[in-house]
Amino acid sequence: MITWSNRLLLMTTLLGGSNSIIYAQTTKPLITVERLTPEFNKLVGKNVNARIIADGFAWCEGPLWIEGHKMLLFSDVKKNIIYKWTKEKGKEVYLNPAGYTGKVPRGGELGSNGLGLNIKGQLVICQDGDRVVSVMNAPLQKPQAKFIKIAANYKGKKFDSPNDLAFLSNGDIYFTDPPYGLEKNVDDPLKEAPYQGVYKIAKDGKITLLTNTLTRPNGIAFFPGGKTVLIANSDPAKPYWYAYDLDKNGQFTHGRIFYSAKAASKTAEGMPDGLKIDKQGNVITSGPGGIWIFNKTGKLLGKIKVNDLASNLSLSADEKTMYVTSNHRVLMINLR
């Protein structure tokens, strides 16, 4: 059964050939599953199903499943709110304000974006409006709009709008910094750096610029072992996923294109955006048309096409459930 908005509708599932389509009583199915390889079937079973668990947002992003508390956190970037979803209570306001704490009214993507947990179990927040990466200075179960800035500038120049986070087991945090949080994007007069960067926050607080060559760095995640990182580039001119190896100092080396979405971006909405990498090294990422799944070598295994723009995703601890932020709503997809 799939829920469309808050209504229960009769579903019809067609399973045949290499593809399966899950239909709802609407003009579009919630998801369409495109099976390209046998490996895909091990990750996405034939009984895959989806439902909307929360909606009514302006633009949701940065989902984070926290297994210990059985809760999903996610950002409404335009409303400056972090929401919480639980099976028992549904959606609730978790933190407000979440990304912009200034007093001067402003528009655009001013709220929080990417969310994550550091090695101490604290909530780390990409704060678009404040242009910083911060740690919430409060317990997860008693959130407060109190923040400790852990990255505010690089060599005196403010970041544009920190977007997404990846964590190494040694405590280092990597983050991307595209211009989307600036009200006028790359043409905003408040933009200080002449490039878009990917940075590292070392456990001692030192900030290092890792690359300034990506035009729109967005989603970021490490492959198992922490020796290689994957970054989504959300630029229509260069809609690629890039891979970098890490040297002994945790800096980037051997940069290359992991996969190109150039052809697909001409026929489907969306860009390479948020991503996760599972325990086996499979890449699950939002891209043109929905969710793309690759193996660790960059072979496209299949897609879960979503009938609205998919921005990001999070996986449950057992990796059998995926939570997808999709425009004004959040989907829960039971993979197997």
Side-chain angles (χ1 to χ4, degrees):
M1 184 177 290
I2 299 173
T3 300
W4 180 262
S5 297
N6 294 319
R7 304 182 299 277
L8 294 177
L9 300 171
L10 178 65
M11 301 294 113
T12 301
T13 302
L14 301 182
L15 296 173
S18 61
N19 298 337
S20 61
I21 301 176
I22 301 178
Y23 286 100
Q25 288 181 348
T26 63
T27 56
K28 295 180 180 180
L30 270 181
I31 61 172
T32 302
V33 182
E34 183 178 356
R35 302 176 184 274
L36 302 177
T37 65
E39 300 103 297
F40 184 82
N41 297 327
K42 297 177 182 179
L43 303 173
V44 181
K46 67 177 183 179
N47 294 321
V48 56
N49 62 84
R51 65 186 180 96
I52 297 172
I53 58 172
D55 61 10
F57 311 107
W59 176 251
C60 53
E61 252 283 10
L64 172 66
W65 176 255
I66 302 178
E67 179 69 18
H69 298 289
K70 300 296 182 183
M71 67 179 179
L72 181 75
L73 301 182
F74 56 94
S75 303
D76 190 332
V77 184
K78 294 185 178 181
K79 294 297 184 180
N80 201 16
I81 297 172
I82 293 175
Y83 284 91
K84 176 177 79 170
W85 177 88
T86 59
K87 182 179 179 181
E88 294 74 22
K89 295 185 178 181
K91 75 173 183 180
E92 304 173 82
V93 171
Y94 179 81
L95 193 64
N96 182 13
Y100 180 59
T101 59
K103 302 301 182 183
V104 179
R106 55 152 291 179
E109 297 185 359
L110 76 166
S112 60
N113 203 309
L115 309 173
L117 298 181
N118 64 16
I119 58 175
K120 296 180 180 179
Q122 298 169 300
L123 183 65
V124 183
I125 307 171
C126 287
Q127 296 185 298
D128 281 5
D130 285 348
R131 302 168 68 177
V132 299
V133 178
S134 295
V135 172
M136 183 178 71
N137 191 21
L140 288 176
Q141 289 296 79
K142 295 181 179 180
Q144 298 183 58
K146 297 181 179 180
F147 308 106
I148 300 171
K149 297 176 183 178
I150 58 173
N153 65 80
Y154 178 69
K155 293 186 176 180
K157 294 185 181 297
K158 289 184 179 180
F159 302 114
D160 285 359
S161 53
N163 184 278
D164 205 359
L165 302 156
F167 299 80
L168 285 179
S169 59
N170 68 355
D172 291 348
I173 301 173
Y174 289 60
F175 71 94
T176 57
D177 187 37
Y180 300 127
L182 298 175
E183 290 186 84
K184 295 182 179 180
N185 210 289
V186 292
D187 296 320
D188 198 294
L190 297 180
K191 180 176 172 60
E192 297 188 10
Y195 55 80
Q196 308 308 140
V198 180
Y199 300 87
K200 179 182 77 169
I201 309 169
K203 53 183 176 290
D204 63 2
K206 180 182 178 181
I207 298 172
T208 302
L209 174 64
L210 301 169
T211 182
N212 60 4
T213 62
L214 302 187
T215 51
R216 296 293 184 274
N218 202 315
I220 182 170
F222 286 103
F223 284 91
K227 300 298 184 182
T228 302
V229 68
L230 192 68
I231 301 172
N233 195 56
S234 302
D235 183 351
K238 296 180 178 180
Y240 308 141
W241 289 273
Y242 290 92
Y244 293 88
D245 296 330
L246 271 60
D247 66 16
K248 63 181 181 179
N249 297 313
Q251 300 199 40
F252 288 177
T253 183
H254 189 214
R256 68 270 189 194
I257 294 175
F258 179 80
Y259 200 92
S260 170
K262 191 78 170 181
S265 67
K266 296 178 180 179
T267 58
E269 288 188 305
M271 287 284 119
D273 201 330
L275 60 94
K276 298 294 181 291
I277 298 176
D278 72 12
K279 297 169 186 174
Q280 286 72 46
N282 298 300
V283 176
I284 304 99
T285 175
S286 55
I291 304 300
W292 297 41
I293 299 180
F294 306 94
N295 69 11
K296 60 185 177 182
T297 66
K299 178 182 179 181
L300 181 60
L301 305 181
K303 300 177 184 179
I304 300 176
K305 297 181 179 179
V306 180
N307 73 352
D308 204 348
L309 285 173
S311 62
N312 208 335
L313 63 111
S314 185
L315 296 172
S316 61
D318 62 8
E319 300 182 340
K320 293 181 179 180
T321 303
M322 177 167 60
Y323 300 92
V324 177
T325 48
S326 178
N327 201 348
H328 62 274
R329 64 195 188 179
V330 180
L331 305 181
M332 182 171 71
I333 302 177
N334 295 310
L335 299 173
R336 56 190 188 277

